[in-house]
Amino acid sequence: MVKFYQHTSSFEHAWDNVTYAFWLRYPNPFASHVVGCDVIDRQVDPVTGVLRTTRLILKQGVLPRWGRGLIKNPDAYIIEESEVDPRTQTMVTRTKNLNHVRVMQVEETQTFTVHPENPKWTQVKTEARIISELKWGLTGRVEAFGINKFMDNSVKARKGMAHILERLRQNAALAASAPTTAAAAGVAASDC
Amino acid sequence: MSSSIGEKCTQIKQEYDGCFNSWYSEKFLKGDATPKCDDLFFKYKECLLKTLEEKKLDTLLADARKDNPFPNSAASSASPSSGSSSESSKKN
């Protein structure tokens, strides 16, 4: 079973801010299952100037009760790879689960560009594949769970980013009006 | 603030994150890619690699990255402190 998904959305924030928020997005109130996030590798390509990053994300507490027969290890690891090209103002990110792949593979690619209709906004194109190859009559239930989880996670991810972006906007507004207060407020911005 | 997957690494990670965030917004996005955080990253990765080995994530990661290299990348060179297997430029 392979399911494809495509969606285009936008943030009413500049591309610079959106890509910056991407690094800061954990923790946020919509991502309670994320318990750890690490940069595994990061480098700037000396020729193209593209920043390539690989991060490892650990989620806990996402398994439904009926899943415990299928999955022994409740820890879910996700690998996130990204490329940021400041010259073309394009960021591409790809996330996929690292474990539990025999049950389900979820791979999502997002492309962040300056919005074609408003240079102060950012457009996000999302494509995802959900693959499950389970047998023994489990596929239907797992598939439904996987798709619902994916849709839920997509909504939470958007809300999480929007939350961080709003905080950044507020910090910037504070900085413009009262530099000393802003310094303290800026510290509150979280990062991963 | 978000933690590291390896609890012992959280502090050095957050130091590195602070450095990266400043570099990213004040330098990189403005066209200056001169590295500023390499020393911190080196220390952070040293700690992280131990964690990955302890949790047996190092092979899991290496296999995942080998099977399906992220598009648009040239083969990524291993950073000095990286103990993971060589990055593959195998094309499908």
Side-chain angles (χ1 to χ4, degrees):
Chain A
M1 178 277 292
V2 185
K3 295 279 174 179
F4 293 96
Y5 171 82
Q6 271 185 322
H7 181 60
T8 301
S9 59
S10 55
F11 289 108
E12 292 177 18
H13 294 260
W15 184 86
D16 278 11
N17 295 342
V18 173
T19 64
Y20 183 55
F22 184 72
W23 306 122
L24 307 186
R25 73 184 191 285
Y26 299 131
N28 73 69
F30 304 96
S32 53
H33 294 302
V34 175
V35 302
C37 174
D38 282 296
V39 178
I40 303 297
D41 196 22
R42 177 174 268 152
Q43 53 207 290
V44 177
D45 185 301
V47 173
T48 62
V50 169
L51 174 70
R52 289 205 308 275
T53 304
T54 301
R55 294 200 291 187
L56 181 64
I57 296 160
L58 170 59
K59 289 188 183 183
Q60 289 178 340
V62 289
L63 203 59
R65 212 171 290 157
W66 55 261
R68 284 168 207 172
L70 284 168
I71 287 173
K72 285 177 199 137
N73 180 6
D75 290 347
Y77 288 98
I78 290 111
I79 184 170
E80 172 210 277
E81 294 160 297
S82 59
E83 292 196 349
V84 184
D85 187 342
R87 298 175 199 174
T88 62
Q89 292 192 296
T90 306
M91 175 169 79
V92 186
T93 70
R94 183 176 76 178
T95 57
K96 57 184 185 181
N97 57 309
L98 211 57
N99 60 341
H100 307 149
V101 289
R102 272 190 228 107
V103 178
M104 182 170 306
Q105 294 167 60
V106 181
E107 181 180 301
E108 178 189 77
T109 302
Q110 293 195 300
T111 306
F112 297 74
T113 50
V114 175
H115 200 286
E117 287 156 32
N118 188 333
K120 292 186 186 168
W121 290 7
T122 303
Q123 183 175 82
V124 188
K125 285 189 183 152
T126 303
E127 292 180 341
R129 297 190 307 163
I130 301 170
I131 303 169
S132 179
E133 286 161 30
L134 280 185
K135 300 168 184 143
W136 314 304
L138 290 167
T139 314
R141 190 178 204 178
V142 171
E143 176 180 326
F145 173 78
I147 292 167
N148 288 337
K149 206 87 193 80
F150 172 76
M151 300 300 286
D152 279 350
N153 287 346
S154 289
V155 170
K156 283 185 203 168
R158 259 196 60 78
K159 287 183 176 171
M161 281 286 286
H163 173 87
I164 298 291
L165 282 163
E166 267 317 302
R167 288 183 72 185
L168 287 173
R169 183 169 270 170
Q170 283 164 25
N171 288 347
L174 277 172
S177 57
T180 29
T181 324
V187 171
S190 325
D191 13 280
C192 165
Chain B
M1 258 201 165
S2 180
S3 306
S4 170
I5 288 167
E7 299 81 18
K8 297 171 285 193
C9 306
T10 294
Q11 192 176 344
I12 182 65
K13 168 192 169 308
Q14 290 177 352
E15 270 185 66
Y16 165 71
D17 280 346
C19 182
F20 171 77
N21 291 340
S22 300
W23 174 83
Y24 184 80
S25 52
E26 292 159 25
K27 301 281 179 197
F28 179 75
L29 286 179
K30 301 191 168 147
D32 177 5
T34 315
K36 294 265 187 252
C37 307
D38 283 358
D39 290 345
L40 281 170
F41 190 50
F42 186 89
K43 288 183 196 151
Y44 169 35
K45 272 206 81 170
E46 261 190 331
C47 182
L48 196 55
L49 283 169
K50 287 186 202 140
T51 302
L52 295 179
E53 278 171 32
E54 280 162 27
K55 293 184 191 266
K56 311 238 192 309
L57 293 171
D58 47 349
T59 34
L60 193 62
L61 262 174
D63 288 345
R65 294 165 84 187
K66 216 173 10 178
D67 284 341
N68 192 5
F70 192 48
N72 306 326
S73 319
S76 50
S77 53
S79 59
S81 57
S82 171
S84 57
S85 53
S86 61
E87 308 306 344
S88 167
S89 55
K90 183 165 67 175
K91 305 275 185 284
N92 287 328

